[in-house]
Every structure is written in structure tokens, then in C-alpha cells.
Amino acid sequence: MGIGSGCLFCSPSFSGIRIKPLSSYIFPYFSFTFNPYQPHSLSFPKLMSQPLSLNSAPLQEAEADSSAAPPLFDYHHIDQKLLDNIVYDALVWSTLNCLLVGDKSVQRSATVPGVGLVHLPLCLLPGPFPETHWKQACELAPIFNELVDRVSLDGKFLQESLSRTKSADEFTSRLLDIHSKMLQINKKEDIRLAISRSDYMVDEKTKSLLQIEMNTISTSFALIGCLMTGLHKSLISQYGNILGLDSNRVPANNAVDQSADALAKGWSEYNNPRGAILVVVQVEERNMYEQHYISALLRDKYPFLLYDTHRIKSIRKTLAQVDKEGEILPDGTLSVDGHPISVVYFRAGYTPKDYPSESEWRARLLMEQSSAIKCPSISYHLVGTKKIQQELAKPGVLERFVENKDHVAKLRACFAGLWSLEDSDIVKKAIESPELFVMKPQREGGGNNIYGDDLRKTLLKLQEAGSQEDAAYILMQRIFPAPFPAIMVRDGNWSTGHVIAEAGIFGTYLRNKDKIIINNESGYMVRTKVSSSNEGGVLPGFGVVDTVYLT
């Protein structure tokens, strides 16, 4: 994996985006040279060849004073003057390198680019993560990629596994209806493309790497993960001697390059030089810059895949806009606002909030019916549901899809306990000891899980109702990672806390019929939250972005 890049959008000399792969840059420099296939080149000034800090004198004093150095990872005991310097430099770096999102307190920040920017909530320095478990997570990515693909082809398994959920959850029911229609017309997805992410924690008691969930739609923070890698490597290069940290222990990261590469190769497989990539977006999106960055990479990194004169064009549309402007041409091509579409890249559509009317559902069905490559298809989307995760954890089910016994063992080793609410013994245990379980609905996006006394009350209420509503949930073993001290920075202010980390490993997969074109582990992102918090979503305000320091 390579290292991410500084952000082209913020450079004072920027006059049009031309990009090398992020993995070809060494943080913290702006040094973009154009693609060698292009006739021109542009280099940005090396703005950060020296720490951009107004506190260089105090820093020298801190470097001269070994007492400023705390024990390894004991970040709460960093000397106050030194800590102020590190936070200041982190904020400067984040701004110059566009580790930014729209500020939710600014009304137009989620709709108008460049309005109301604020740095992402972040962990100032990386926390410890066992190297053996890190390697295990990376090795699992291509195995999970193949598993998701094989499960997606078994329409009967998906429909049957989710049949009770369908009766209890309207959102899942609507997705299943679309899937059923595709089965009825025998719709084949010969070219299948996925950008997925599997999230893990290390359980302290068992010392095991356990999967939280598999995300198969709208997997975000590929760029943010790369930028956080760059930030931490930059800070450690400046302050590592004081803190006893080595920047090489922060894994390299090229998640955003590999996401763009998968989309570009999917576009190439579709084989229409006029085709565009449709990015399906939410009406309001504070994280729009990551999406725009991927579009910029596609446009400027890949003009040579098929035809030197054709760049990959991306268009951004909401589901409602697709319904209004989209149609399927006689040959099956999806056309949106007059543009033939090669690839549909979903950055929306994973939550009921994205479907406020029938217009959005018509758009989803239209796209599924077309010949465009979907990232993901409706089948891939369903494979990522909590219920399917729970079904795959049942004894004997993995063997239905995975022939390699070694792969089965590796997958099963990372499965946490997962149960249906039809299991009365487990439900009884969860009511008696709710602190040992998490209750999960079929939802993405954070803030949906049920814990503690709320879990107990919900289970009792479902029992009393005696309805099918329990099918909308699963029970999962609660994972207890080892907390570690951290400095968290939000809105320019820092705070201390003991936190736990969740590491997300990206996977990219592209297949054309029997030919596997891509099956890779593709970088990472890390979210960290205060150990007392139940939820970890960054943009909803629960967690912060982070990296890991391999131990």
C-alpha cells in the first residue's frame, strides 16, 4: 500500500486538477506532477517541507527537554507546551491538505462546495494495534470479496434468509422487491464491481480480531483514511524523537487510489468511451470533497485506458434527479441527463432517509434494470445486511459458498457471536446480561444500535408484542477492546479520553463473467471513540478519524 497525498484543492497555485496517484506522494509535501501521458506538468510548492508552526522556538525548547516525552502511548502526560505545538501543527496540516468536511453549523456547507469548511474530528496521534491482527485483517479482505460475490449470486438464499426481515422492516422489504424483480426477468450482472469495507475490533479478553460488520454500499472515508495516514506520519516525523514513535509503524495507505482504480477499470470493462460514471449522492453531503476527489482522479489519471482522447467523466445526481432525468435506451443503456452511464457508483441509497418518496425508489429500480455496472448491485447491497452477516455465521453456511477449507477457517475465526431473535435461549441471556450484547437493526450510518438497559427493555417489549417485529433485528456479541489514552481534536479544541479503535479494511473486486480482474485488499480507515460511547460514527458526532500504530 502506498501513502496518501496532500490535497490539490487547497493549493494557492492550483489552476486545474491534474493528479498522480496518491500513493506516489510522500506526505507532507504538495508535489503534484502531471500524468506522464499528458503534455504539461505542474508542481506545487513544498509548503510543508518544514513544520508549518508559529511555535518553532518553544518546539526547540521541548526537544531539548527530554522530560517532555511521556511513556509510549501515554499521550495524556505530554508536556503542555509540546502538546499545544502538536495540535497547532495538526490543524495547519489538516487545513492545507484538506482533511475537511462541511461544518454542520453552516447551513449551506452540505450543498455548496467551499462553504463552511471545518477539519474532521481526529485523534491527534495513533493508538496501538497488534501487527499480527492487522495482517490478519488485511489477508481477510480478498476472501471476503470473493464470499460477497458468491453469496450475491444465490438469489434464493438472499430471499429466504431475509424473508422474516421483509415482513418486519419496510426498507429491507423494498430492497427485496427490487431484487425479486431482477430475478423474475433473469437480470444477469456479468460485470460485478465492489468497493467494500470490513470493520474490526480486537477483543481484549480473547485477544481475537472480530468483525463488526461488512459494508457493501457507499463505503466512505477512503480519502480521509489516506489523509489521516499522512497527518500522523507528518506529526511523527516532526515529534517522533520526543514521543518515542516511528512513522514506519503507521501502515501506508492507498485506499482512495484503489477505489478510483476499481471504478476506472469497471468503466473500461463496460467498453463505451462516451460512458460516464454516475455518482449517486445524497441531497446534502458534508463529505462531498472525498467524492469530488475520486471524480478528479478518474478524470485526470485515466485518460489512456481506452482512448487517449477520452477522459472518464463523472456526473453527480441525487436519486430524485435520476428519476427525473434518467431513462433506459432500447439497447439497455442507462441514460441520465443525456449521458450514457457505464458505472453507477452509490454514495447514497443505504438508508431509508435517502428514499423520502416513490421517486427515489423508481430511480433505484431504473438503475438496476439497466445494463450499467452497479457499485454495488442490489444483490451486493443485500449481502451487506446484518441479517445475512448473521446467517453466514451459522454452522455449515459458509461451506455453501467457500470451498477452500483454510478460507472457511479464517472467516469463521473473525466472526463474533451472531444470533437471530428466534433463538429464545440467547434472548433470555441478553435480557439477563444486556451489557454483553448489541442489538442491531438492518440500518447503516451510525446511531442505530441498541445497548444496555435499552436493549433489555426492547427485547421484553418485543416478547410482549409477540409479533414478527423481532425479525428486524439481530443480536451480536459485544466486543470489548482494550482502551488507551488519546488526545481528540474537534472544532480546533482538544480533549483527553480513553478510547477504543475500530479498523476498517477496504476491499476492491471486479469480475467480468469468469474473469477476476481485481480482488485486492485496498487500504484502510480507522475510527476511534471514547470507550464509554456506544456509537462510533464520525460525521454524526460519535467518533474521530484515526490510524493505527503497529505493535
Side-chain angles (χ1 to χ4, degrees):
M1 294 189 292
I3 301 173
S5 165
C7 181
L8 68 165
F9 300 109
C10 294
S11 170
S13 59
F14 174 67
S15 60
I17 303 170
R18 290 181 182 268
I19 313 170
K20 280 176 60 180
L22 280 175
S23 55
S24 65
Y25 305 118
I26 303 298
F27 278 100
Y29 305 111
F30 288 87
S31 183
F32 290 84
T33 56
F34 288 174
N35 192 293
Y37 290 85
Q38 301 301 313
H40 306 291
S41 63
L42 172 65
S43 294
F44 288 78
K46 294 186 178 181
L47 295 178
M48 298 192 69
S49 57
Q50 298 296 327
L52 281 177
S53 171
L54 299 180
N55 303 315
S56 57
L59 172 59
Q60 292 171 359
E61 294 171 9
E63 287 178 330
D65 181 7
S66 61
S67 64
L72 190 62
F73 305 124
D74 191 5
Y75 298 141
H76 292 178
H77 290 90
I78 296 176
D79 175 80
Q80 179 73 47
K81 186 180 294 185
L82 174 61
L83 179 59
D84 287 342
N85 275 307
I86 300 175
V87 170
Y88 185 90
D89 283 344
L91 293 173
V92 170
W93 195 101
S94 298
T95 305
L96 292 175
N97 291 272
C98 286
L99 185 55
L100 305 169
V101 291
D103 187 342
K104 61 183 177 182
S105 67
V106 179
Q107 185 177 3
R108 297 192 302 153
S109 67
T111 55
V112 182
V115 173
L117 297 177
V118 65
H119 73 87
L120 269 105
L122 58 90
C123 228
L124 185 64
L125 294 163
F129 199 97
E131 186 171 11
T132 54
H133 289 128
W134 185 259
K135 291 180 177 178
Q136 179 188 354
C138 293
E139 290 171 359
L140 280 166
I143 303 175
F144 268 114
N145 291 343
E146 189 68 28
L147 174 64
V148 169
D149 185 66
R150 292 186 181 183
V151 175
S152 76
L153 298 177
D154 194 332
K156 183 179 179 182
F157 172 79
L158 291 173
Q159 287 285 332
E160 290 180 351
S161 298
L162 291 164
S163 59
R164 287 191 74 248
T165 306
K166 180 176 183 177
S167 65
D169 185 89
E170 176 65 19
F171 179 61
T172 304
S173 177
R174 296 299 298 265
L175 295 175
L176 282 168
D177 286 344
I178 294 174
H179 179 253
S180 179
K181 290 175 181 177
M182 297 305 101
L183 294 177
Q184 290 170 13
I185 64 174
N186 197 28
K187 180 71 169 63
K188 301 293 185 183
E189 298 290 340
D190 289 333
I191 305 175
R192 302 190 293 278
L193 171 63
I195 301 172
S196 60
R197 194 187 72 233
S198 186
D199 297 335
Y200 302 93
M201 285 181 171
V202 177
D203 185 64
E204 173 63 13
K205 183 177 181 180
T206 62
K207 308 297 182 185
S208 300
L209 180 82
L210 297 178
Q211 186 187 51
I212 306 298
E213 63 182 355
M214 168 63 77
N215 303 278
T216 58
I217 183 170
S218 188
T219 49
S220 60
F221 282 13
L223 174 63
I224 303 307
C226 292
L227 291 175
M228 278 304 301
T229 300
L231 171 62
H232 281 170
K233 284 182 175 288
S234 174
L235 293 176
I236 293 174
S237 71
Q238 297 176 57
Y239 300 99
N241 289 338
I242 306 172
L243 301 174
L245 300 175
D246 177 3
S247 63
N248 291 322
R249 303 305 296 170
V250 177
N253 198 352
N254 64 349
V256 72
D257 282 328
Q258 294 216 42
S259 292
D261 189 61
L263 291 166
K265 288 180 178 175
W267 177 87
S268 176
E269 287 298 310
Y270 192 81
N271 199 28
N272 180 355
R274 295 180 56 250
I277 293 180
L278 170 64
V279 186
V280 181
V281 299
Q282 294 177 320
V283 176
E284 295 186 345
E285 177 57 81
R286 293 170 56 212
N287 189 32
M288 71 174 80
Y289 304 102
E290 174 176 86
Q291 299 167 8
H292 283 297
Y293 194 94
I294 291 174
S295 293
L297 278 174
L298 288 166
R299 183 181 64 243
D300 291 300
K301 181 182 172 185
Y302 298 98
F304 50 87
L305 274 176
L306 287 176
Y307 304 90
D308 286 344
T309 57
H310 286 84
R311 295 176 178 271
I312 301 178
K313 179 181 180 63
S314 299
I315 61 173
R316 294 169 60 84
K317 299 290 181 181
T318 64
L319 286 166
Q321 288 172 324
V322 172
D323 178 49
K324 182 179 179 180
E325 304 170 12
E327 63 177 334
I328 296 180
L329 303 180
D331 64 354
T333 299
L334 175 65
S335 175
V336 177
D337 194 23
H339 300 283
I341 303 301
S342 298
V343 178
V344 179
Y345 176 35
F346 284 97
R347 294 302 296 260
Y350 57 88
T351 171
K353 295 178 182 178
D354 291 338
Y355 302 85
S357 71
E358 286 302 309
S359 174
E360 288 77 16
W361 287 112
R362 285 195 300 268
R364 184 68 186 270
L365 177 61
L366 180 79
M367 291 182 285
E368 292 296 334
Q369 291 173 323
S370 76
S371 64
I373 301 169
K374 273 73 71 174
C375 183
S377 67
I378 189 69
S379 297
Y380 269 55
H381 185 172
L382 291 171
V383 176
T385 59
K386 307 296 189 297
K387 180 59 180 176
I388 296 300
Q389 183 185 6
Q390 179 255 311
E391 286 290 319
L392 291 172
K394 287 183 177 179
V397 176
L398 276 179
E399 288 81 356
R400 178 172 173 174
F401 303 102
V402 183
E403 297 175 357
N404 187 308
K405 293 183 179 180
D406 182 54
H407 288 178
V408 170
K410 289 180 178 179
L411 289 168
R412 206 176 296 286
C414 78
F415 285 168
L418 292 157
W419 304 275
S420 164
L421 268 64
E422 294 178 276
D423 189 330
S424 58
D425 290 338
I426 286 295
V427 170
K428 181 181 178 182
K429 291 179 181 178
I431 291 173
E432 293 172 349
S433 303
E435 72 280 1
L436 300 180
F437 296 86
V438 181
M439 192 170 174
K440 293 188 170 185
Q442 309 301 313
R443 294 290 180 271
E444 305 295 338
N448 300 302
N449 296 336
I450 305 172
Y451 299 84
D453 197 50
D454 289 337
L455 183 152
R456 182 183 64 82
K457 291 177 180 178
T458 303
L459 288 176
L460 289 172
K461 182 179 179 181
L462 290 172
Q463 281 187 339
E464 292 173 4
S467 67
Q468 293 282 315
E469 191 179 347
D470 63 348
Y473 302 90
I474 67 165
L475 279 171
M476 180 176 175
Q477 164 196 351
R478 188 161 187 179
I479 302 168
F480 294 96
F484 55 90
I487 309 294
M488 292 160 287
V489 186
R490 187 185 298 272
D491 295 326
N493 301 307
W494 61 267
S495 63
T496 61
H498 282 81
V499 302
I500 54 178
E502 179 178 321
I505 305 297
F506 289 97
T508 51
Y509 189 86
L510 176 63
R511 184 179 190 129
N512 192 340
K513 297 181 180 178
D514 292 332
K515 181 183 178 183
I516 297 176
I517 299 161
I518 300 174
N519 184 14
N520 293 331
E521 170 269 312
S522 301
Y524 68 93
M525 58 81 68
V526 179
R527 289 173 297 187
T528 291
K529 63 179 181 180
V530 176
S531 56
S532 60
S533 173
N534 288 328
E535 297 290 348
V538 175
L539 293 184
F542 302 113
V544 297
V545 288
D546 201 355
T547 63
V548 295
Y549 190 96
L550 299 182
T551 58

